Amino acid sequence: MTDIIQLLPDHVANQIAAGEVVQRPASVVKELLENAIDAGATEIKLIVKEGGKTLIQVVDNGIGMSNTDARLSFERHATSKIKCAEDLFNLHTKGFRGEALASIAAIAHVEMQTKPEGEEFGTHLRIEGSKVAFQEVAVCPKGTSISVKNLFFNIPARRNFLKSNQVELRHISDEFHRVALVHSNISFHFYNNGSELFNLPKGNFRQRIVQIFGTKMNERLVPVEEDTEVVKLSGFVIKPEYAKKSRGEQFFFANNRFIKSPYLHHAINAAFEGLMRNEMQPGYFLQMEVDPSTIDINIHPTKTEVKFDDEQTLYAILRSAVKHSLGQFNVAPMLDFEHDRNLDTPYSYQSKDAVLPKVTVDPGFNPFEDNKSAPRQVQKQSVKGWQDLYEVDTSDSQHFSSVQFESEATNSNLFDKQATNIEESTVCFQLNHKFIVTKTKSALLVINQNRAHQRVLYEQFLKVLSNDTMVKQELLFPEEKVLVANEFGILKGIEDDLSALGFDITFDSTKKSIKIDAVPGLMTEVNIGTVLENLIVTFEEENNTNELSTTELTAKNLAKSMAVKNGQPMDAASQMALVNDLFGCLEPELSPFKKRTYVLVSDNELENKF
Ligand code: ADP
Ligand code: MG
């Protein structure tokens, strides 16, 4: 047999390596920022365009490179950071694999200007698809500037896999935060499409957290400090009352490197146990300093998954240190045995007899008689008058409220077409405050109220979007909210979708705050804050599924937040209206999240049971 094995040419090997190192623009950002830090920069500028797809540039004032080094830096396994295998156990730099620049140069157009301190001239170099397009002497400042253009220009499959600019920008911001947070001694600037997103002057860790996450974060932080032989721990946890549903505020750093560790995360969760509701996430910014020989960073090309020698001890230290901090800062509820109860009562009252409080009761009051629940009244008031602002036909079935379905079952002709043919005189009832049970001509119909309502609302939102028949409710008292940077970015990213659905939101990029002046006409009695928070969580966790447009995802999510919940009582008219509205939908069988909305039990099936 003839020999068939051959060595891959360098540029092919580089492209393969690039697949591991560079998944998306954010990966390039991470590598370039880390190189700038390793070069001892004190000022770093990040410039991106179109979610990093057309340009990612990092400018630093670090040590720069000589002419030869500049050329060599793009070779695979070319590094100045380690010389032998032993060095791997004593790493003090972010990089060491010597493959980032080679990988990036294999899949993008790269341009570099670099000059070491004290040299008169620097080097200007351009590389396209691993080949040097030109190299010349240049006049440039000390330090290095690297521009990466047209990422994946030669791998269309990867390019097509990229998300919208907004989503890619969010990944870049996440990466930027991770690096900038733990290097508060370096000043950072971050520009997107020509406008400044972040300007972070030098400061301490706490100041850097506040620069990135907003001034409100300051009062939410509880310091954590612990110095042991295994680890020097420092940083902050967020007070449990400010816990969020999203995981956006969870940061572990090991030796100044952002790391992911589900195991250590669990330790923090354990320390917060009993202080937060289950679905909430603890927030933390924790730095661990360990002996470099006790940590293996080389287990994954992106170097975010690491292996500690003694993870169990770390776990125990983390858990107890965080617990201690929460307790010390009076965050954890503590039993106070030394409390003098006499101090609770004003002195002059102590000798007085106790008097039964007088309560006037209206014996005729029946809370279940009145359809209008209290919170609803409040909301109604706050939007009172909006109908006058917009000429709307309120008889339109779109304007039914989310719980009180005031619309009468008028659409019966619609159902004649449906297999589920419900008779006019049909009654329904609610089972366990969760299911609506009714009948069709020949079957028993059991509807999941929450999912059915999600479907109804979702289709109404889609109708609003396609017909441009959007109705807004002006809020009498506009709500203002200060958000943390990534939340602000997420909402800003779907600004157009929100406004198409009926939100009037003004974004203030400097204060990272939003002002909500109007909400969709379909929205009633729901807490706007919760609706927006759910939206943020959805988009934060939106993981690589590209099937939906952001508008649809937004509509789906709003429908979910606003739908009547399981466990919520509904009066007969509302139940009937929901049944009718459901079968007026284009796709009544499934919720927007593709879950079954109802089941039919036919006469035959029933017969068979007897
Ligand atoms: P690594 O960082 O793992 O060494 P890279 O491919 O990222 O590998 O970089 C290769 C080499 O290029 C580095 O070891 C360093 O010597 C040099 N280099 C890269 N970026 C810079 C920079 N911004 N300033 C100075 N030197 C740099
Ligand atoms: Mg590197």
Side-chain angles (χ1 to χ4, degrees), residues 77-359:
H77 307 310
T79 180
S80 58
K81 298 169 194 176
I82 56 170
K83 291 198 168 60
C84 54
E86 282 79 61
D87 292 346
L88 279 174
F89 303 101
N90 190 22
L91 277 176
H92 293 277
T93 51
K94 302 258 173 291
F96 56 87
R97 298 169 61 109
E99 59 186 6
L101 288 187
S103 299
I104 294 167
I107 48 156
H109 297 152
V110 181
E111 207 158 325
M112 177 199 271
Q113 288 208 6
T114 184
K115 186 175 87 83
E117 175 123 65
E119 300 282 330
E120 196 175 345
F121 296 107
T123 308
H124 185 184
L125 192 73
R126 190 184 301 149
I127 299 202
E128 285 170 11
S130 291
K131 301 216 164 46
V132 182
F134 84 77
Q135 177 166 0
E136 61 183 23
V137 173
V139 180
C140 54
K142 174 211 163 195
T144 305
S145 159
I146 300 184
S147 318
V148 176
K149 291 179 189 161
N150 310 323
L151 192 64
F152 299 132
F153 78 98
N154 50 359
I155 316 182
R158 297 296 294 274
R159 196 172 171 83
N160 296 338
F161 173 78
L162 293 177
K163 297 299 189 62
S164 68
N165 292 353
Q166 203 59 47
V167 170
E168 294 302 337
L169 178 67
R170 213 164 59 232
H171 285 288
I172 292 175
S173 298
D174 286 348
E175 227 38 272
F176 174 79
H177 292 161
R178 291 166 181 178
V179 174
L181 269 173
V182 79
H183 292 282
S184 57
N185 56 338
I186 300 175
S187 75
F188 286 90
H189 288 266
F190 178 6
Y191 301 90
N192 172 49
N193 291 341
S195 59
E196 187 180 75
L197 286 189
F198 287 96
N199 169 1
L200 311 176
K202 284 176 207 172
N204 58 30
F205 190 37
R206 184 174 198 131
Q207 286 164 331
R208 184 54 57 89
I209 294 171
V210 171
Q211 287 165 359
I212 293 177
F213 289 92
T215 41
K216 281 213 169 157
M217 189 53 94
N218 197 20
E219 68 199 68
R220 300 180 181 179
L221 298 176
V222 180
V224 178
E225 298 285 341
E226 190 71 65
D227 203 349
T228 69
E229 274 183 13
V230 183
V231 62
K232 183 170 182 296
L233 181 68
S234 63
F236 305 89
V237 289
I238 296 179
K239 291 180 187 164
E241 65 259 41
Y242 297 109
K244 298 200 168 148
K245 284 188 192 160
S246 66
R247 291 168 156 268
E249 290 160 3
Q250 299 177 339
F251 295 88
F252 276 128
F253 303 96
N255 293 356
N256 287 347
R257 188 190 298 278
F258 171 83
I259 59 153
K260 289 182 185 156
S261 169
Y263 181 67
L264 297 182
H265 171 77
H266 191 272
I268 313 290
N269 260 339
F272 272 79
E273 204 180 297
L275 299 173
M276 282 180 329
R277 274 184 289 133
N278 270 348
E279 75 272 21
M280 301 311 244
Q281 292 285 339
Y284 51 85
F285 305 88
L286 292 171
Q287 303 197 29
M288 296 172 281
E289 241 178 79
V290 297
D291 182 332
S293 66
T294 65
I295 178 173
D296 183 358
I297 303 154
N298 203 16
I299 54 170
H300 194 271
T302 60
K303 298 167 283 187
T304 44
E305 281 156 49
V306 302
K307 204 176 160 331
F308 295 98
D309 275 1
D310 194 355
E311 228 169 22
Q312 270 134 326
T313 310
L314 264 183
Y315 183 103
I317 294 172
L318 263 176
R319 194 180 72 147
S320 82
V322 170
K323 239 184 158 154
H324 181 240
S325 291
L326 290 173
Q328 211 181 23
F329 285 83
N330 260 332
V331 176
M334 283 188 295
L335 287 178
D336 191 349
F337 293 110
E338 283 162 28
H339 187 70
D340 181 354
R341 300 187 64 204
N342 285 331
L343 296 176
D344 283 347
T345 320
Y347 189 71
S348 58
Y349 280 84
Q350 279 178 17
S351 53
K352 289 197 178 168
D353 287 337
V355 189
L356 268 181
K358 287 202 189 77
V359 182

